Amino acid sequence: MLFAAVCAFVACDPVSEDISNDGHITLDELIAKSSVTVDKAPSGQNGNVVSCTTSAPVNAKWDIGGKEFVGNFAKKKMKLGDYIVTLTALCADGTKLTADFPVSCQVITEELQKIYIYGEDPQMQPPFSPEAWNAAAMRFSDNEGQHFPYLTDEIYWGFKTLIIDVSQVTDNLDVRIMSGWWDNFNADGSETHVHWNDGLNELQLTEDIAKICAKGNDGKNHDLQFMVTSGSCVVNSVYYEE
């Protein structure tokens, strides 16, 4: 079902290139030409697959649960919950419009699949405890890391959410999220520090991370890296879901 929209504003930053007209459309026209739907379970309840489409003559960018998709069509499997899907549309004259579509995912119709980066087979890739200040222990690199392989451009530029399964976490655990070249990811130039808890912990890959760590699409190929600076934990697995 189609849900209604909210706000519009003007800006100069393009979302992408090559749209087909010379002017702009109104927010009402954008809404009329766009839809956000969820699939249906046999019970009639909303499923967890969100599909987005627009036929408006604009450059379109969708934000679905914090993930961005550029194009007139986007589709994503979600965890159960309520979400706001945001469509950002750039007209040829530079006018930018935004429309928000609330959706609710009530039952699982398509299971999220775990895509393992490390730890799918605990015999081949056993749990390990990274030593503090060991920069190689959790570097995603085939030749400069000790456990994790390279991440593909599809993972970086797909802005996947990495899920890190850890246990035996001490209260003073501190982990830096950085690159193998000690690049900082925060806009103020500081490293990103996190404290993991026993269980599942998430890291959303961002455009800033991809620009530094990805190999292609103008990435610097510096490799994502987690580094323990105090405390300790056991890393069981790293994966993402889709």
Side-chain angles (χ1 to χ4, degrees):
M1 55 187 298
L2 174 65
F3 297 87
V6 205
C7 55
F9 60 89
V10 176
C12 297
D13 296 332
V15 175
S16 54
E17 301 291 339
D18 300 325
I19 63 178
S20 58
N21 65 7
D22 296 325
H24 68 272
I25 62 173
T26 67
L27 180 60
D28 287 341
E29 290 172 325
L30 175 66
I31 295 168
K33 293 177 179 291
S34 307
S35 70
V36 175
T37 62
V38 290
D39 62 333
K40 292 294 182 179
S43 63
Q45 292 177 290
N46 289 346
N48 69 312
V49 181
V50 177
S51 298
C52 310
T53 186
T54 182
S55 60
V58 296
N59 290 322
K61 179 172 69 175
W62 303 90
D63 184 312
I64 312 173
K67 298 288 185 68
E68 292 186 349
F69 301 82
V70 175
N72 286 50
F73 176 78
K75 185 176 183 179
K76 188 175 186 300
K77 289 188 285 188
M78 309 293 290
K79 297 179 181 179
L80 299 186
D82 297 328
Y83 301 93
I84 300 293
V85 176
T86 299
L87 168 61
T88 302
L90 182 74
C91 301
D93 66 354
T95 301
K96 187 187 289 184
L97 308 172
T98 63
D100 287 347
F101 302 83
V103 295
S104 179
C105 299
Q106 300 167 331
V107 296
I108 296 293
T109 45
E110 289 191 26
E111 292 284 351
L112 289 165
Q113 302 297 314
K114 291 182 179 180
I115 312 297
Y116 278 89
I117 296 166
Y118 182 88
E120 182 174 14
D121 183 344
Q123 298 298 318
M124 298 295 293
Q125 297 177 324
F128 65 93
S129 183
E131 296 179 354
W133 296 99
N134 182 347
M138 293 189 287
R139 179 169 176 168
F140 291 86
S141 171
D142 290 345
N143 60 340
E144 296 184 84
Q146 293 178 352
H147 299 94
F148 299 157
Y150 283 123
L151 296 182
T152 65
D153 278 10
E154 179 184 1
I155 294 174
Y156 281 124
W157 291 110
F159 306 134
K160 305 296 186 183
T161 298
L162 300 186
I163 301 173
I164 305 97
D165 182 356
V166 297
S167 57
Q168 301 180 39
V169 174
T170 60
D171 291 340
N172 63 333
L173 177 69
D174 180 81
V175 180
R176 283 189 186 180
I177 312 297
M178 55 198 301
S179 86
W181 291 42
W182 292 74
D183 291 295
N184 301 316
F185 294 135
N186 288 352
D188 63 0
S190 64
E191 298 95 342
T192 301
H193 289 255
V194 297
H195 174 84
W196 291 338
N197 297 304
D198 276 346
L200 305 182
N201 302 267
E202 294 187 352
L203 174 68
Q204 170 71 61
L205 297 182
T206 64
E207 184 176 3
D208 287 339
I209 292 176
K211 285 179 178 179
I212 292 174
C213 297
K215 295 181 182 300
N217 298 304
D218 296 324
K220 294 181 179 179
N221 190 22
H222 286 187
D223 302 332
L224 180 66
Q225 176 180 293
F226 305 150
M227 186 173 68
V228 172
T229 58
S230 67
S232 64
C233 67
V234 173
V235 179
N236 300 307
S237 64
V238 179
Y239 61 92
Y240 61 93
E241 295 179 314
E242 63 179 18

